[in-house]
Amino acid sequence: STWVPAAGVINATPKAKALAKSKKVDLSSIQGTGNFNRVTEDDVKRALGLLEKTDVKAVSVEATSVPSYRDVPDLPDGPKAMDGMQKAVAKNMEAGMDVPVFRVSRRIKTDAFDDLYRQLKPLGVTVSALLAKAAALALESHPIVNAAYAPGQIVYRKDINVSMAVAIDGGLITPVLPKANLLSLLDLSAKWKELVMKAKKKSLKAEEYNSGTFFISNLGMFGVSDFGALLPVGAGSILAIGGALPTVVQRPDGSFTTVKEMTVTITCDHRHIYGADAAEFLKTFADLLENNCARLML
């Protein structure tokens, strides 16, 4: 069967209508080549002499082979050379595949954490700063998770430099918050905003993105519920943060209530970090966010 537009409806794409209006062309005088004889932007261009005339019948047959009721975007096709940053990311990801890793996940209630953020947000404190401070304080109790592997050695790092992934145009970079356990939330927030701005301008110094000892990747802001991150080269651990979602839980008295929970997943180098180490770190991290948020302000 053939679709026929309702009376008064102009059978043309939005782009065709816009072009025809700007050029004062009567769309009813143009034979459409789109689906169901719809007038396309190219049809208007042909009528204006901006494109060569084409066999309308041939175009119509070709167009109706793929039904569409919208303007289809011109999608990229074929190989495209990577830029320097993309090549570096690819090289690091490949190098990291040789490391034996394992992952441990845990759900964390975020109601207290969310309340603290709402109180501190007017002061300029960011979620990234809060997460970095919580991870850094937890690492003080679990230095093995901040350590790196070297053949025959475990390389401990006194400094806790939290590196957080930032998506930028054409790639990914991990600016570093140095000695995050020693900085205040206000200082961490100001530093993080500065680093993100420099990252987007691609003006970070080498030491501002390659000196991390512990890594965080937060995709919760994009609506991701949970995921596992790949371990960066030279790192011992990376923590993946999912989004907080309303969850029904049972109270000790048997009644039910709703709380917000997020799932965090830590990926560790299994050559020197073991499952119990990762589990204990997540336990400390969770306790900070659920029961001891005030410590983040010290």
Side-chain angles (χ1 to χ4, degrees), residues 30-162:
I30 301 175
Q31 183 175 354
T33 63
N35 299 314
F36 305 105
N37 299 318
R38 200 178 193 191
V39 177
T40 68
E41 184 181 24
D42 283 349
D43 293 331
V44 179
K45 289 181 178 179
R46 290 189 191 95
L48 292 169
L50 302 177
L51 288 179
E52 293 184 7
K53 296 287 185 180
T54 308
D55 184 347
V56 173
K57 183 177 180 181
V59 173
S60 297
V61 171
E62 181 181 353
T64 54
S65 63
V66 182
S68 177
Y69 305 96
R70 62 186 177 85
D71 290 325
V72 179
D74 185 16
L75 299 176
D77 187 34
K80 178 184 177 181
M82 287 181 162
D83 61 24
M85 176 175 291
Q86 291 170 324
K87 289 178 181 178
V89 171
K91 184 177 180 181
N92 286 339
M93 293 301 102
E94 290 175 349
M97 298 306 292
D98 292 332
V99 177
V101 299
F102 69 95
R103 294 180 174 87
V104 175
S105 298
R106 182 183 177 114
R107 285 184 175 183
I108 299 176
K109 297 180 180 66
T110 65
D111 296 88
F113 179 82
D114 293 339
D115 287 341
L116 178 64
Y117 173 60
R118 278 191 289 269
Q119 295 174 42
L120 298 179
K121 183 179 179 181
L123 301 177
V125 172
T126 65
V127 170
S128 295
L130 285 164
L131 291 172
K133 185 64 177 286
L137 292 178
L139 288 169
E140 288 182 342
S141 301
H142 307 279
I144 187 67
V145 181
N146 194 50
Y149 170 85
Q153 295 179 320
I154 299 174
V155 182
Y156 287 92
R157 278 85 70 97
K158 182 178 181 180
D159 291 341
I160 298 176
N161 301 333
V162 178

Side-chain angles (χ1 to χ4, degrees), residues 263-283:
T263 299
V264 299
T265 301
I266 190 167
T267 302
C268 299
D269 186 337
H270 212 341
R271 292 174 296 186
H272 68 291
I273 301 173
Y274 307 136
D277 299 320
E280 289 294 334
F281 167 80
L282 290 184
K283 181 180 179 182

Side-chain angles (χ1 to χ4, degrees), residues 36 73 83 175 177-178 200-202 222 230 247 261 268 275 292:
F36 305 105
D83 61 24
L177 289 168
K200 293 186 181 300
K201 292 180 180 179
K202 298 185 178 181
F222 298 108
L230 294 177
T247 307
E261 288 186 339
C268 299
N292 291 292

